[in-house]
Amino acid sequence: MWVRQITEIFSSWLLVLTLVLQNILKSIYRIRKVPFIFLILVLFFGHCPSPIVAEGISYTIYHFWDERPNQASTEVTTSSFSISKKILAHTGMFMDIELDQVTSPPLLDGATGASRPAYKKEESFIRNRGQIIAGLEQALGQNSTISGSLYISQEIDYQSFAVFASYSQDFLQKNLNLLLTTSINQDKVGYIDSKQNFFEEPKEKRDLSLSVTQVLGPTTVFSLTGSYSEPSGKLSDPYRAVKIGDQLLPEKHPDERYRYSVTSKLNQYIIPLKAATLIKYRLYIDQWESIRRKGVTSHTFSAKLNKYITENFIFSPWYRYYIQDNVYFSNSDYQYSSSDLYYTGDYKLQAFESNSFGIASTYYFRGLVGADSDWSFIQNASLRLEYFRYWNTNKFAGNILEAGLEYAF
Amino acid sequence: MNRFLYSIGFCLSLCMCVSCARVKPYERQYLADPIMELESSTRKQSLEEKFLSTMEGSSGGENGIAGGCGCAK
């Protein structure tokens, strides 16, 4: 019964997506096709009763480009399509498909730059990556839900497979929520050498996190998340090299890492301003090797304001500050020594500070058309635009531009 | 490590101290407003985390689903 229903839902989705793709270009020139496509979507998805997941469909595109001294930009373009929908009385499902394209400039010194096969180091390299996340969420009574999902990503020299599970429980008339999340990743880290021979090594990661969310009042919510992560296996980038004395050698990291973090968030609605502030602080500590040697310690503080400019337009500036120290085996000037077991060329394991500043805007189309219009279906749509800039004390800066369209069922 | 445990203890204590507050379902209009971002999507969190984890040595603390490489650095 379950298998049959899920199969029917998937096959119907594929049909709808195929129709949309076939008609999307025509729709640009023959706009009357658009209501027809949405009619199919509404007819299909409209038969299900009230949701346990936020039901909707969204498409988001990100473009990232970096700035480094004396070097061309690395660019990343990401397209993401998501859908979430209730499929049975107490069951929802969600799916996310994401495609990345990373364009890397030629390497100048062989020791920096984006990860790429060794035989491509003297020319621009384009890396494509595909990712699918699919999962189910099941309500267990009025106050608890469980969910599970699968994650698969694939690129030319990296594969990742993960299983996620979570359990959510409400207490005290939904004033207190506990969320327990766990996951297991099984990755294969590949390496393509200068003769195009392929090698790969395993990497595993186990995660566990517990979130406590407490309603403090009619306008205030506080949450606290503690998380633990244990990556192991191939933890260094097989393409990154380190200058040791006069030699350029592949970096070598320990094969065990233990990561801990505590994140606190405070969300406050400010009624007179029709705005909400979101303040977040995270403490992060990690350790390396089975004897737990010192890793990175970092502090992250961020603040965001969401402000209604009009009833249908939200403006959201935000700022984030980050500071970390260095891992015990990082060194800006390695000299060959038989006692040094590990070397890193990764600036992310050195001490630095970073700042990020972003502006976002969200527009809800509900104010554009009346409920009796032929176009009333667009009342459930919203458009989101965001730009943010990141810069750090290692002379690295990055920019991200995001545009997203969402449609709530 | 001790500092980490003290921080967890402090925050949990703070949470326990305030957990007596009760807000009725009909008092939740502001909590349910989209600008409170209490139901921000898992996918969105993972994308932000993915970009920042390629530029910094820390990750975690969110409940988003993330993995793979797609290394920009």
Side-chain angles (χ1 to χ4, degrees), chain A residues 62 68 80 82 96 98 100 129 149 151 155 158 160 164 172-175 179 209 211 214-217 224 227 257 259-263 265 267 269 278 280 282 284-285 298 304 306 308 320 322 324 347-348 354 390 400 402, chain B residues 1 3-4 7-8 11-12 14-15 18-19 21-24 27-28 30-31 33-39 43-45 47 50-73:
Chain A
Y62 290 77
R68 280 176 288 189
S80 174
S82 298
D96 180 277
E98 190 177 308
D100 289 333
R129 172 177 167 272
S149 57
Y151 168 100
E155 55 196 280
Y158 199 102
S160 183
F164 293 80
L172 305 172
Q173 295 180 314
K174 296 187 183 293
N175 282 270
L179 174 65
S209 79
S211 292
Q214 171 68 47
V215 174
L216 302 184
L224 183 71
S227 68
R257 190 177 187 182
R259 317 178 85 163
Y260 312 86
S261 71
V262 176
T263 305
K265 300 177 193 174
N267 296 24
Y269 198 103
L278 316 170
K280 190 190 304 186
R282 181 184 69 178
Y284 169 92
I285 296 171
S298 76
K304 183 177 186 181
N306 287 331
Y308 278 109
R320 178 180 180 274
Y322 173 86
Q324 74 169 56
Y347 90 77
K348 298 192 294 294
S354 76
Y390 170 94
I400 294 181
E402 172 197 339
Chain B
M1 189 62 195
R3 194 169 48 174
F4 177 80
S7 302
I8 291 177
C11 294
L12 280 174
L14 184 67
C15 209
V18 297
S19 65
R22 296 283 180 92
V23 177
K24 305 291 184 191
E27 296 175 317
R28 291 173 177 261
Y30 297 114
L31 300 178
D33 195 300
I35 64 173
M36 288 290 274
E37 293 189 9
L38 292 178
E39 295 183 1
R43 178 195 56 79
K44 170 65 180 164
Q45 287 179 343
L47 279 169
K50 177 183 141 186
F51 277 111
L52 292 170
S53 68
T54 63
M55 297 185 275
E56 294 170 346
S58 314
S59 66
E62 303 285 356
N63 291 311
I65 297 171
C69 186
C71 304
K73 291 293 297 172

Side-chain angles (χ1 to χ4, degrees), chain A residues 160-175:
Chain A
S160 183
F161 175 78
V163 180
F164 293 80
S166 69
Y167 175 75
S168 171
Q169 177 71 49
D170 290 325
F171 298 96
L172 305 172
Q173 295 180 314
K174 296 187 183 293
N175 282 270

Side-chain angles (χ1 to χ4, degrees), chain A residues 43-237:
Chain A
L43 281 175
F44 170 67
F45 293 111
H47 72 277
C48 293
S50 59
I52 61 166
V53 293
E55 296 181 292
I57 187 168
S58 69
Y59 176 74
T60 308
I61 185 163
Y62 290 77
H63 184 68
F64 165 89
W65 68 100
D66 68 15
E67 297 166 19
R68 280 176 288 189
N70 306 318
Q71 193 159 347
S73 291
T74 293
E75 298 186 17
V76 183
T77 302
T78 299
S79 296
S80 174
F81 170 80
S82 298
I83 188 166
S84 55
K85 179 63 188 167
K86 185 170 182 176
I87 54 172
L88 295 171
H90 303 290
T91 310
M93 69 180 304
F94 53 92
M95 185 169 66
D96 180 277
I97 299 171
E98 190 177 308
L99 300 171
D100 289 333
Q101 185 171 78
V102 182
T103 307
S104 312
L107 294 184
L108 292 180
D109 55 11
T112 59
S115 179
R116 93 268 299 286
Y119 74 95
K120 288 280 189 181
K121 69 180 184 181
E122 292 176 355
E123 56 187 284
S124 290
F125 177 65
I126 294 177
R127 169 188 293 274
N128 294 306
R129 172 177 167 272
Q131 166 192 306
I132 295 178
I133 300 169
L136 290 170
E137 187 174 74
Q138 174 71 43
L140 304 172
Q142 292 292 315
N143 294 315
S144 55
T145 57
I146 56 169
S147 74
S149 57
L150 296 176
Y151 168 100
I152 299 169
S153 87
Q154 174 77 52
E155 55 196 280
I156 184 172
D157 51 8
Y158 199 102
Q159 286 179 39
S160 183
F161 175 78
V163 180
F164 293 80
S166 69
Y167 175 75
S168 171
Q169 177 71 49
D170 290 325
F171 298 96
L172 305 172
Q173 295 180 314
K174 296 187 183 293
N175 282 270
L176 176 65
N177 174 267
L178 296 183
L179 174 65
L180 182 66
T181 307
T182 186
S183 66
I184 298 174
N185 280 61
Q186 295 277 354
D187 296 359
K188 290 179 181 173
V189 183
Y191 174 73
I192 304 173
D193 70 9
S194 55
K195 295 176 181 173
Q196 301 194 35
N197 297 311
F198 180 75
F199 309 91
E200 65 181 17
E201 293 183 63
K203 176 182 167 185
E204 288 186 10
K205 186 161 73 80
R206 295 165 196 275
D207 296 297
L208 182 67
S209 79
L210 176 66
S211 292
V212 181
T213 302
Q214 171 68 47
V215 174
L216 302 184
T219 58
T220 313
V221 178
F222 175 76
S223 77
L224 183 71
T225 301
S227 68
Y228 170 73
S229 178
E230 190 181 306
S232 62
K234 181 70 174 176
L235 301 184
S236 52
D237 185 330

